Amino acid sequence: MLTMQIIKEHPELKTFIGLDVDPKAHLLASLKLKNAVERETGPEIHIVAANFEHLKSTLYQLGLAEQGVDGILMDLGMSSMQVGFHFSVFFLLDSAI
């Protein structure tokens, strides 16, 4: 998970906010991140069930809108979980018609 790698490689992070509209992805991210990040040294973690379009209102709800943010990373793609399939082994895909 790229998010965990970013958090581990940037100990200067004080707060991490993750937004996802997919309930399964939201639950999975919540469990993985909150269990993986050290409470004493890691950032404060907020995983919110919301679309990116609600980022501003989410920041207000968390009391973080006034101080602003230093950076935003958006993963706007679809995961294999959302598409409904994945490949668990490497193989050549024959797409000939």
Side-chain angles (χ1 to χ4, degrees), residues 25-61:
H26 177 265
L27 177 63
L28 186 62
S30 294
L31 295 173
K32 283 187 173 184
L33 286 174
K34 290 185 179 185
N35 288 332
V37 174
E38 294 182 36
R39 294 286 175 247
E40 303 81 38
T41 59
E44 183 178 351
I45 303 284
H46 300 279
I47 306 297
V48 182
N51 191 297
F52 288 125
E53 70 180 313
H54 302 291
L55 179 59
K56 187 175 182 179
S57 62
T58 299
L59 291 173
Y60 274 104
Q61 289 171 357

Side-chain angles (χ1 to χ4, degrees), residues 50-87:
N51 191 297
F52 288 125
E53 70 180 313
H54 302 291
L55 179 59
K56 187 175 182 179
S57 62
T58 299
L59 291 173
Y60 274 104
Q61 289 171 357
L62 296 172
L64 301 171
E66 297 300 321
Q67 69 191 49
V69 297
D70 292 324
I72 296 175
L73 172 67
M74 293 185 169
D75 178 358
L76 302 175
M78 293 177 65
S79 72
S80 60
M81 194 168 60
Q82 292 163 324
V83 174
F85 67 89
H86 71 278
F87 301 106

